[in-house]
Amino acid sequence: MSDQPSTVHRVGDDMEVTLHFTLKLEDGTVVDSTRDKQPATFQVGDGNLPPGFEAPLQGLAEGDTGSYQIGPEHAFGQHNPQNVQLLKRDDFEDVEPEVGTVMSFADAAGGELPGVIASLDGEQVEVDFNHPLAGRTLTFEVEVIKVRPATTH
């Protein structure tokens, strides 16, 4: 007689999932990983993972592993040229913008919006507000550690 529960929980709606993941670019560069830290725990559908990352996990159980190619349309979207804005250097009060620097800007609603300084040209500063992984196909490697019914507080 084993002391294992008789029910095998699988990833699906209203389930809480704990997993390790590694996110890689097309060339194998690791963008993010939980391997060297605590595993990630989320509730399916809570918005912590984009739907394109949740979809391949459906039906997996504890101990399952997988590697999935996630295209831009299911990850962080295509690169949108309209999300690249030209600002005046004068708009940067105390900060000297440098190419590649991620800066925080206020959006129309007063929230924070990260943007990457894409280029500098005289008094013009080009800021890219696309997600840094927009337009990229990503490899999503997962190891499911625990699946259990989500508890609502």
Side-chain angles (χ1 to χ4, degrees):
M1 204 59 200
S2 83
D3 56 358
Q4 290 293 319
S6 58
T7 314
V8 173
H9 292 297
R10 297 195 173 276
V11 177
D13 292 345
D14 301 320
M15 297 305 268
E16 184 180 275
V17 182
T18 301
L19 51 72
H20 269 302
F21 73 87
T22 302
L23 198 57
K24 296 180 179 175
L25 298 178
E26 298 93 327
D27 66 3
T29 302
V30 173
V31 179
D32 194 9
S33 179
T34 59
R35 286 274 166 207
D36 52 357
K37 47 189 186 258
Q38 291 293 315
T41 299
F42 69 97
Q43 186 172 334
V44 174
D46 69 1
N48 276 321
L49 276 186
F53 291 91
E54 280 190 1
L57 303 178
Q58 296 292 325
L60 296 182
E62 285 180 24
D64 286 351
T65 59
S67 181
Y68 309 96
Q69 292 288 114
I70 315 267
E73 63 281 4
H74 297 296
F76 297 100
Q78 296 291 355
H79 189 273
N80 182 347
Q82 292 180 333
N83 290 341
V84 179
Q85 307 279 323
L86 277 180
L87 303 177
K88 294 185 181 69
R89 196 179 280 258
D90 296 349
D91 294 338
F92 296 82
E93 294 165 1
D94 308 332
V95 184
E96 184 59 34
E98 288 183 40
V99 172
T101 303
V102 178
M103 299 183 77
S104 188
F105 297 85
D107 65 15
E112 280 193 28
L113 186 65
V116 178
I117 308 300
S119 69
L120 302 169
D121 183 17
E123 290 306 305
Q124 299 279 306
V125 179
E126 186 181 50
V127 182
D128 188 344
F129 290 102
N130 284 289
H131 188 284
L133 296 174
R136 306 297 291 261
T137 295
L138 304 168
T139 299
F140 183 49
E141 296 174 353
V142 296
E143 175 191 355
V144 179
I145 296 168
K146 185 161 39 172
V147 180
R148 63 188 182 118
T151 51
T152 51
H153 299 290

